[in-house]
């Protein structure tokens, strides 16, 4: 592409590029509408044929539920789209096709984007069926002239006008959906997300801002983003920000007008549990003096709670991220490459529930570990790999080794951690299957049901590889991570050492 030199030429080129982008957006929107029809058709076929594809004697309701689970798993495996995303797309598509014909038509012609359509579908869920046609008629013209973010604000207000249930009742229901999720990020980092009520989230965010302001007032060199993160970590792990171990009083809070963005994740994993102790500090302890005023009355349900003021210079120095890490007392499942263990290489270890971590972080974690299971990624004798047909329940060392081999559910695309899964006999015990590493694999409860209660079939292969075959005949293969895994029995912790390349406590 030739870069123009005059203002008129530049303006003309920008206009041309914008028109081409707009045309491609319309093509994408049209494809999204076609996908909606396909997702809805797949769900309809699944529901209609559920009784004929499920084992005899299955109730109609359970047959439909199992057929949907089977469909979602197969579409996820075929498209490599997370199963939860497939489930959401099916639900949205059914609403678009059956209840929002004009919205679907606008999407098909490129008048709105898939993001606009998703906002309308989401807000429609709480509108009385008798009012849904009016909702679509009033909101669709706005969707054609506003961004999806602007549309969400307007659609939420319109929903409130048409909604038969009060916002207080819906908020009471929504409170039961609060949860915490942990999502891995790149370079040894992770996202920790909390879904809670707006007043609590705003008050917590404001407290972090106030604690950060106090630290900056004292001359802390960390950025505000780093200080807010370190304050949150220290409060969650130790309940303090002071080196003395005394709780720090809450700083004043001011309502904020814009809440921080919330990221919708498709694949989530539960929090890795660990016990903590306050990190040791070399600086003299500074006690945060609580205010002498009486406690304020309890905040009303929808008020943003405030807190007693505290003088920022009285706050103790905030632990660094290294000190916070050293305060964690974990039970570690750490996979260590054999050459790293022998000191010949510096390859990363692998932490259960996350993945690769640098040797220095591994050393910081394991120095305080009361115990850990060490698995060398190299064949070596000594492990109990099979008890054949002697017993159904796997022995403890085999179960622990398999949890580290699999790391997560072995169904295609599933990220559920092994610790939340069932250890399943791939060839059923009742059919002569053995209790061995070759015939055992972790399946989450949902996919355990899919394997046993639908027409999916599963065949084991060497080194823990599994071959899945769907009811329609599609085949998918899942392998351990890493695929050349070979288990060892848990080893006793080695003597303590000051060598940071060594991964023992």
């Amino acid at each position: 592409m030739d870069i123009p030199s005059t203002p008129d030429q530049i303006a003309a080129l920008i206009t041309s590029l914008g028109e081409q982008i707009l045309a491609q957006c319309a093509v994408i929107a049209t494809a999204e509408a076609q996908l909606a029809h396909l997702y809805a058709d797949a769900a309809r076929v699944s529901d209609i044929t559920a009784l004929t594809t499920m084992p005899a004697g299955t109730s109609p309701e359970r047959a439909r539920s199992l057929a949907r689970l089977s469909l979602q798993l197969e579409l996820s495996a075929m498209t490599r789209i997370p199963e939860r995303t497939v489930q959401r797309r099916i639900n949205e598509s059914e609403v678009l096709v059956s209840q929002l014909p004009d919205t679907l038509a606008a999407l098909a012609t490129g008048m709105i984007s898939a993001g606009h359509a998703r906002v309308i579908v989401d807000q429609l869920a709480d509108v009385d069926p008798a009012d849904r046609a009016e909702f679509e008629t009033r909101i669709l013209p706005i969707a054609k002239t506003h961004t999806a973010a602007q549309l969400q604000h307007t659609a939420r207000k319109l929903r409130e006008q048409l909604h038969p249930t009060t916002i207080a009742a819906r908020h009471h229901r929504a409170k039961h959906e609060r949860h915490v999720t942990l999502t891995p990020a790149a370079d040894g980092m992770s996202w920790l997300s909390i879904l809670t009520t707006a007043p609590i989230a705003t008050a917590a965010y404001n407290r972090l801002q106030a604690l950060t302001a106090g630290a900056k007032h004292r001359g802390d060199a960390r950025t505000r983003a780093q200080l807010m993160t370190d304050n949150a970590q220290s409060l969650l792990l130790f309940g303090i920000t002071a080196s003395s171990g005394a709780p720090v009083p809450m700083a004043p809070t001011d309502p904020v007008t814009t809440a921080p963005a919330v990221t919708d994740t498709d694949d989530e994993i539960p929090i890795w549990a660990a016990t903590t102790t306050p990190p040791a500090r070399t600086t003299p302890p500074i006690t945060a003096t609580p205010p002498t005023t009486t406690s304020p009355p309890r905040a009303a349900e929808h008020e943003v709670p405030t807190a007693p003021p505290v003088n920022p210079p009285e706050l103790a120095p905030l632990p660094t991220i290294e000190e916070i890490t050293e305060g964690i007392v974990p039970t570690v499942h750490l996979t260590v490459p054999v050459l790293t263990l022998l000191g010949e290489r510096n390859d990363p270890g692998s932490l259960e529930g996350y993945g690769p971590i640098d040797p220095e972080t591994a050393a910081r974690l394991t120095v305080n570990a009361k115990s850990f299971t060490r698995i060398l990624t190299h064949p070596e004798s000594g492990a109990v790999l099979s008890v054949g047909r002697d017993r159904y329940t796997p022995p403890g060392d085999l179960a622990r080794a398999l949890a580290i081999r699999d790391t997560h559910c072995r169904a295609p695309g599933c990220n559920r951690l092994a610790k939340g899964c069932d250890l399943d006999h791939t060839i059923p015990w009742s059919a002569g299957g053995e209790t061995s590493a070759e015939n055992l694999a972790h399946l989450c409860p949902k996919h355990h049901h899919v394997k046993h209660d639908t027409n999916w079939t599963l065949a084991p292969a060497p080194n823990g590889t599994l071959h899945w075959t769907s009811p329609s005949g599609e085949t998918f293969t899942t392998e351990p991570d890493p695929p050349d895994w070979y288990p060892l029995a848990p080893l006793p912790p080695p003597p303590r050492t000051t060598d940071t390349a060594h991964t023992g406590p």
Side-chain angles (χ1 to χ4, degrees), residues 49 154 178-179 196 222 243 247 264 284 327 337 398 410 423 438 464:
T49 61
T154 304
R178 61 190 184 276
H179 63 271
T196 186
R222 282 170 281 186
S243 61
D264 178 27
L398 176 57
R410 295 295 305 283
L423 197 52
E438 298 289 348

Side-chain angles (χ1 to χ4, degrees), residues 13-98:
L13 178 58
I14 294 297
T15 299
S16 174
L17 291 173
E19 290 173 347
Q20 293 177 58
I21 291 172
L22 181 61
Q24 291 303 312
C25 287
V27 171
I28 293 171
T30 300
E32 290 285 354
Q34 294 170 347
L35 274 175
H37 281 291
L38 293 173
Y39 275 120
D41 287 346
R44 183 167 175 267
V45 170
S46 173
D47 291 347
I48 293 174
T49 61
L51 282 176
T52 60
T53 57
M54 291 299 109
T58 307
S59 68
E61 183 178 352
R62 179 164 174 76
R64 182 180 180 276
S65 175
L66 289 171
R68 283 292 183 106
L69 290 178
S70 176
L71 173 67
Q72 289 161 196
L73 176 59
E74 183 162 6
L75 292 180
S76 172
M78 291 177 67
T79 61
R80 297 176 301 282
I81 296 174
E83 205 169 335
R84 288 182 59 192
T85 303
V86 170
Q87 180 184 16
R88 189 185 73 231
R89 292 297 302 268
I90 289 175
N91 294 340
E92 291 171 351
S93 298
E94 288 182 298
V95 173
L96 277 171
V97 171
S98 64

Side-chain angles (χ1 to χ4, degrees), residues 104-139:
L104 185 59
L107 181 64
T109 56
M111 298 297 294
I112 63 173
S113 70
H116 293 87
R118 185 168 296 117
V119 168
I120 295 175
V121 169
D122 289 345
Q123 297 302 321
L124 188 75
D126 289 325
V127 176
D128 189 274
D131 297 322
R132 291 182 177 181
E134 179 185 355
F135 178 86
E136 183 183 31
T137 299
R138 293 172 60 178
I139 202 64

Side-chain angles (χ1 to χ4, degrees), residues 160-181:
E160 293 299 328
Q161 296 174 14
L162 300 175
H163 202 289
T165 307
T166 66
I167 187 172
R170 294 201 311 280
H171 175 69
H172 179 76
R173 181 184 64 198
K175 284 193 299 184
H176 293 284
E177 301 299 324
R178 61 190 184 276
H179 63 271
V180 179
T181 55

